[in-house]
Every structure is written in C-alpha cells, then in structure tokens.
Amino acid sequence: MKIELIPAIDIINGQCVRLTKGDYDQKTVYGNPLDMALEFERIGYKRLHVVDLDGAKSKHIVNDAVLREITSQTNLVVDFGGGIKTDEDLEKAFAAGASMVTVGSIAVTQPELFMGWLEKYGAERMILGADVRNGKISINGWKEDSSEDLLPFLQKYIDAGVKNVLCTEISKDGTLAGPAIELYREVMEAYPELHLIASGGVSSMEDIKALDQAGIPAVVFGKAIYEGRIDLRQLIIED
C-alpha cells in the first residue's frame, strides 16, 4: 500500500479516549496515551496524530504536558491539534515537541492569523483542519458549523501555500461505519497535488485498502484500533 498510516490518540483529562460523531457525551476511555504511543512505536509506526479534545472544547491548549510526555519518550513524528487559537498556543505545541500542528477553527474565524502562521512556520509544519458536516466546515471542537463550503475553503488556502489537509467527515467519526471515500475522491480530483489525510469512519483493513486504491495519500484512524477491528501488526506488514 502507498497510503500513509497514522494512528490517532484523542485526549480528555489526560486519558486516551474516542468520541462518537464528536459528541463529548459519547466517550469511551481506553487508557494512558503514552502507553498507546509506545505500543505504536514498538510495532513500527513512525507517525502519530494527537488531538487535545479538552483544548478544542475550551479554546486553548490544555494537554500539552501529555504531548511533551509522548514526544520526549518516543521518536514518533507527532502532529497535534485541538485548542490552537493564539500565537501562545502554537508556540506551546511546538515547545512540547509537536512536529506539525493541525489548525482548523482559526482558519475559518481569523484567516489573516492563519496566513501569518503559514508564512512564519512554513507549509510543512502546518496542517489545515477541514472538518465537514453537511458540506460545511465545522469549528470549535465540532460545536459550531460555519458558512464555509469545503472546496472553496480549501482553494483559498491551497492558493496561499497549504500542502497538508486533514479532512474529517464528522458524521462518520467514531462510528466504524466506513470512511467518506467519495468526499475524499472529490477533493483529490480537484487538488491532485494535495497531501490529503482522511479521517473518520475507518473500521477495517478493507476500509484502508479502499482509501489506498482511491489514491488518498494518508489516513488517520483510532477507534478501529481500540475496538480491535484492525490488527496494527498485520496492517504494517501489508504496508
């Protein structure tokens, strides 16, 4: 497979959790984030997606200490998102060891600030978060839907130099109902040079293979790991 495989760790109160459709009331706790990160690295994974769900909800970084613990005790390349709203938040994420940050809400609500970050830190360190519900970009921990349509939103920032986009179909997230392959295919047809990271709904090896066959560059997956739907060892062997 050509697709880049990125396990995910979502954090609430310092614990590894998964939500269903972004609903904080539908939360399952899976244990210690560092233990999970160490296991991913031991199996052979190189990359990790970490989301500060407390940060997303409170609109500022909360779990940077957990991020620092992971980056200081593993060699994983970590991208970090959730609650990055200010220069201080961004610096805090990088200081805690994030190689890249995922920023979504600010790109909607304060585009000039995001553009400034893109120029200052470079496109390789910035991932544009494009979380979609009913065709619109959702913000602030998926608590609000904006008026931004997906493709024009992406076009604006690709024109500004964005190369990496994490796209989550919220209705699929945490449901194990299969990824929104048609949505991702539509994005790739419009922007074939984009490093698109698909997220949401992955339930099996077959889902990942289908994304790979559709030409999607990368995939983030979490709940399927924790629920035993995907054998991480087998997946990395096949990769």
Side-chain angles (χ1 to χ4, degrees):
M1 289 190 292
K2 294 181 179 179
I3 194 167
E4 182 180 16
L5 304 171
I6 310 174
I9 292 176
D10 292 357
I11 303 169
I12 291 179
N13 295 328
Q15 295 180 303
C16 178
V17 307
R18 295 301 289 179
L19 306 182
T20 299
K21 299 183 183 180
D23 185 350
Y24 284 73
D25 293 326
Q26 297 187 61
K27 176 182 71 176
T28 305
V29 178
Y30 293 102
N32 183 280
L34 177 60
D35 291 343
M36 294 305 307
L38 288 166
E39 179 66 5
F40 294 147
E41 183 177 46
R42 188 186 68 76
I43 292 169
Y45 287 83
K46 307 295 185 185
R47 176 86 180 265
L48 181 64
H49 176 64
V50 176
V51 181
D52 182 355
L53 289 175
D54 292 313
K57 193 173 185 178
S58 62
K59 301 183 182 181
H60 63 84
I61 287 181
V62 174
N63 287 292
D64 53 304
V66 179
L67 171 62
R68 182 176 288 106
E69 194 174 28
I70 291 171
T71 60
S72 65
Q73 297 190 50
T74 76
N75 292 311
L76 293 165
V77 174
V78 179
D79 71 81
F80 179 84
I84 298 175
K85 307 293 185 186
T86 63
D87 292 318
E88 182 182 8
D89 288 321
L90 196 59
E91 291 291 348
K92 190 177 287 188
F94 285 138
S99 297
M100 294 162 279
V101 293
T102 301
V103 178
S105 298
I106 287 299
V108 174
T109 61
Q110 298 183 60
E112 290 183 3
L113 180 59
F114 181 79
M115 294 285 198
W117 291 346
L118 190 62
E119 184 175 347
K120 180 176 180 179
Y121 296 100
E124 298 306 322
R125 301 198 77 185
M126 303 296 297
I127 301 172
L128 176 63
D131 301 331
V132 184
R133 179 164 46 210
N134 299 322
K136 302 291 186 181
I137 301 295
S138 186
I139 60 175
N140 295 329
W142 301 348
K143 298 296 182 186
E144 304 170 43
D145 292 335
S146 75
S147 60
E148 296 267 9
D149 292 312
L150 176 60
L151 291 184
F153 175 75
L154 295 180
Q155 182 71 65
K156 173 171 60 178
Y157 286 114
I158 289 169
D159 289 346
V162 161
K163 297 177 181 178
N164 303 289
V165 170
L166 175 70
C167 185
T168 303
E169 169 50 74
I170 296 169
S171 68
K172 297 278 192 177
D173 191 69
T175 64
L176 301 173
I181 293 177
E182 290 308 315
L183 174 68
Y184 304 132
R185 187 180 281 119
E186 181 184 2
V187 172
M188 290 307 300
E189 285 175 355
Y191 311 111
E193 301 305 313
L194 189 66
H195 188 75
L196 178 67
I197 307 167
S199 172
V202 171
S203 66
S204 65
M205 300 268 286
E206 286 68 32
D207 286 338
I208 292 176
K209 289 175 182 176
L211 288 166
D212 183 50
Q213 290 167 2
I216 310 307
V219 59
V220 162
F221 51 104
K223 194 167 188 175
I225 300 169
Y226 305 115
E227 294 292 329
R229 300 287 193 95
I230 287 178
D231 183 338
L232 285 173
R233 294 170 184 81
Q234 183 64 31
L235 186 59
I236 206 165
I237 288 169
E238 295 202 11
D239 184 47

